[in-house]
Amino acid sequence: MTRRWTLIIVVAASLMSHLKGLTAPPLDYHYHRQVNTAAIARNYSENGLRFLTPQINWEGPYRGRAATEFPLYMWLTGLLWPLFSLGDVWGRLLSTAFSAAAAVYLLLFLERRLSRTEALWSATLFSAIPLEIYFGRTIQPEALALAATLGALYHWDRFLDGGSWRQWTLATAGAFLAISHKLPYAYALLTLAALTASRRGIESLRRPSVLAAPVVCLAGVYAWYQYASAGAYVVPAHPWQFLAILDYGRLPFFVQFQFLSRLPELGATWPGMALAAVGARVLWRRGERFCFVWWVSVALSIVAGSGYTFFHEYTSLPFAPVMASLMGPGLVWAWDLAAAAAKPRLARAALAAVVLSLPVLAAFRIKHWYNQNFQFLATAGAAAQAVSSPDDLFVCNQRAPSVYLYYLRRHGWGWDFKNSDSTTFARVEELAAQGAKFLMTAAADLPGAQGAWLDARHARVYSDGVIDIYRLDGRR
């Protein structure tokens, strides 16, 4: 098969796997992270595309910069935002494009150490892995970070061929983009070091050009987070913020869950695990060790992330290309074995059924992830427009205020009314004193006592049976 057709198959498989939900609002699984990203992208679009000033709308009237990851993905989404009136759909389209780029880079990298057929199957099966299918099209920087990681691997591999500074620059830039968008992707540096040692020997790790790459990469990452840390919190930007989300006290539970449940179900599928096990045996017998070190480096990042990686499935996305790189050789070996069976057609048909079961099982496993939450928010913008002006601040009855405020198209705060009544009443009055003019809640989320308190003290200015809006500034 020609290189052209190989690329077409890999890209087509990637695009097809990400079609579901491609134009859906960012209210499916992990909606909080997706809406945060979309909100910052929209603020870029509406406030002049100032790259160094990512902005949020859930810190009251604050309009300064936010402490985010490196904002290239959000900035690109904001840049494209007004085209064809697609808005946040551009985030999904960008992720889909980066996922296709990741599949191509995986193919190119594996072709340098596996047969073309093995590399083709690995890059194709990569797009049948549940984590890649779903998070490869969400409005998050995961797809960009993974594509950048695989790009770094490929270009570093080429740099090791002959010391091309162009390849060095592309590899270092890829590593920077991966880690600056997703700090757990720092595992990529260990992977690059292992690749260097396997190809050029341990002593090559002391070469100035090799040592300079992680220094330049990490200096850039540090510089961004040092700059961003002065902004409003969105992601951890200080050491104590990172430590607060790790929860090492429950590490044994997190580890067993990650490797006995999440990896086989979401990072490969059970049939994929079987193919990967066969592929691992094939590669080990060939003396090809790099994929094993790659797997271990990802596993270490998952273990080090403890509670953070446990509660955020998308942090396991880096397992997808590693597992796929094992599946391809396993499938080719099994196919050749089936050809030598007593009934080769039956054997190959059985193997084909196993391969086809991967995307089928993936579709069933993550089917519910596509379900839309908070569908009533489709009318929130019109409700806010009917009673308020764009500069009016809102309090939202929601633990994740960015979600409500994104659809209200307003700035403000959030407060979960599931807290005690006295605490809720005090917080609402405190925010009203800070400038909040309106309170928005889903009608179903307002307990009787709290509803009675609001009705007694504040005017309900909008109610459609689904959304209630109260005025907090004393005017009726």
Side-chain angles (χ1 to χ4, degrees):
M1 184 179 295
T2 65
R3 163 60 66 79
R4 178 184 178 186
W5 277 106
T6 301
L7 290 172
I8 289 174
I9 290 171
V10 168
V11 172
S14 178
L15 295 178
M16 289 176 62
S17 73
H18 297 112
L19 287 177
K20 184 174 181 179
L22 192 59
T23 60
L27 292 174
D28 44 0
Y29 192 47
H30 281 287
Y31 58 83
H32 183 201
R33 184 62 175 88
Q34 293 192 75
V35 170
N36 282 3
T37 306
I40 295 170
R42 186 172 68 188
N43 285 333
Y44 267 128
S45 176
E46 295 178 350
N47 298 326
L49 292 170
R50 294 176 294 164
F51 187 85
L52 296 177
T53 312
Q55 294 173 301
I56 60 176
N57 60 342
W58 54 93
E59 267 311 309
Y62 180 73
R63 299 293 195 277
R65 73 171 176 266
T68 71
E69 66 272 348
F70 192 68
L72 179 61
Y73 174 85
M74 296 180 288
W75 186 87
L76 289 173
T77 304
L79 175 68
L80 297 170
W81 193 277
L83 296 181
F84 309 111
S85 301
L86 290 179
D88 52 31
V89 173
W90 279 114
R92 296 200 188 278
L93 294 174
L94 271 177
S95 292
T96 300
F98 283 123
S99 291
V104 169
Y105 267 128
L106 180 62
L107 171 72
L108 297 176
F109 177 70
L110 293 178
E111 277 184 339
R112 296 170 62 84
R113 48 198 29 83
L114 307 178
S115 72
R116 176 169 290 184
T117 302
E118 290 172 332
L120 170 60
W121 276 112
S122 292
T124 302
L125 291 174
F126 164 69
S127 297
I129 292 174
L131 287 172
E132 168 59 22
I133 292 173
Y134 186 78
F135 291 111
R137 32 66 70 197
T138 52
I139 306 174
Q140 301 174 239
E142 266 60 30
L144 183 156
L146 190 61
T149 301
L150 293 170
L153 271 177
Y154 171 70
H155 290 294
W156 191 255
D157 202 21
R158 291 193 59 187
F159 163 72
L160 294 173
D161 288 344
S164 164
W165 282 104
R166 178 174 180 271
Q167 298 301 325
W168 184 94
T169 302
L170 289 171
T172 305
F176 164 75
L177 287 175
I179 300 170
S180 62
H181 277 88
K182 304 298 299 184
L183 287 177
Y185 281 48
Y187 78 87
L189 296 179
L190 178 59
T191 306
L192 294 173
L195 180 61
T196 304
S198 67
R199 290 203 53 196
R200 293 287 180 246
I202 294 291
E203 65 281 357
S204 65
L205 295 175
R206 295 194 293 267
R207 289 169 51 190
S209 58
V210 172
L211 290 173
V215 172
V216 171
C217 170
L218 293 177
V221 173
Y222 175 80
W224 171 256
Y225 278 89
Q226 184 68 16
Y227 169 78
S229 64
Y233 179 89
V234 176
V235 299
H238 296 278
W240 62 268
Q241 292 173 335
F242 290 109
L243 294 174
I245 63 176
L246 294 179
D247 191 10
Y248 281 119
R250 300 175 63 195
L251 183 60
F253 168 75
F254 295 149
V255 170
Q256 65 84 25
F257 180 88
Q258 292 277 16
F259 294 101
L260 298 181
S261 178
R262 182 168 295 167
L263 175 60
E265 290 185 20
L266 298 175
T269 74
W270 285 104
M273 290 290 288
L275 291 175
V278 174
R281 179 176 178 272
V282 169
L283 294 182
W284 187 268
R285 294 182 68 177
R286 281 186 201 167
E288 175 61 62
R289 302 289 189 262
F290 173 73
C291 285
F292 298 94
V293 179
W294 187 4
W295 190 94
V296 169
S297 67
V298 175
L300 288 175
S301 75
I302 295 298
V303 172
S306 189
Y308 172 73
T309 52
F310 172 78
F311 288 109
H312 300 85
E313 289 93 339
Y314 47 77
T315 57
S316 293
L317 181 60
F319 267 128
V322 191
M323 298 304 294
S325 70
L326 298 174
M327 291 180 201
L331 175 57
V332 172
W333 181 90
W335 188 261
D336 292 340
L337 182 66
K343 295 182 179 180
R345 289 186 179 179
L346 181 61
R348 284 185 165 178
L351 183 58
V354 170
V355 174
L356 290 174
S357 72
L358 267 71
V360 173
L361 290 173
F364 278 104
R365 177 60 180 83
I366 62 175
K367 179 181 178 181
H368 60 292
W369 286 7
Y370 294 87
N371 294 340
Q372 290 283 298
N373 301 278
F374 307 112
Q375 294 187 47
F376 66 89
L377 289 176
T379 62
Q385 184 70 20
V387 300
S388 68
S389 64
D391 292 331
D392 288 335
L393 301 178
F394 272 67
V395 179
C396 298
N397 176 13
Q398 169 58 225
R399 184 172 59 89
S402 61
V403 178
Y404 281 19
L405 291 167
Y406 177 72
Y407 285 92
L408 288 168
R409 298 185 66 89
R410 296 292 187 267
H411 284 70
W413 301 267
W415 182 257
D416 190 348
F417 278 36
K418 291 184 176 65
N419 292 293
S420 68
D421 289 351
S422 60
T423 304
T424 294
F425 301 157
R427 182 57 175 163
V428 169
E429 295 302 330
E430 176 186 355
L431 292 175
Q434 293 180 30
K437 287 189 177 182
F438 295 91
L439 182 147
M440 178 268 190
T441 180
D445 291 342
L446 195 61
Q450 294 176 352
W453 179 84
L454 283 170
D455 284 325
R457 295 181 62 89
H458 303 288
R460 190 186 314 198
V461 294
Y462 182 91
S463 180
D464 60 3
V466 179
I467 293 174
D468 288 337
I469 299 178
Y470 290 85
R471 188 166 193 122
L472 300 180
D473 61 1
R475 297 173 57 188
R476 290 182 177 266

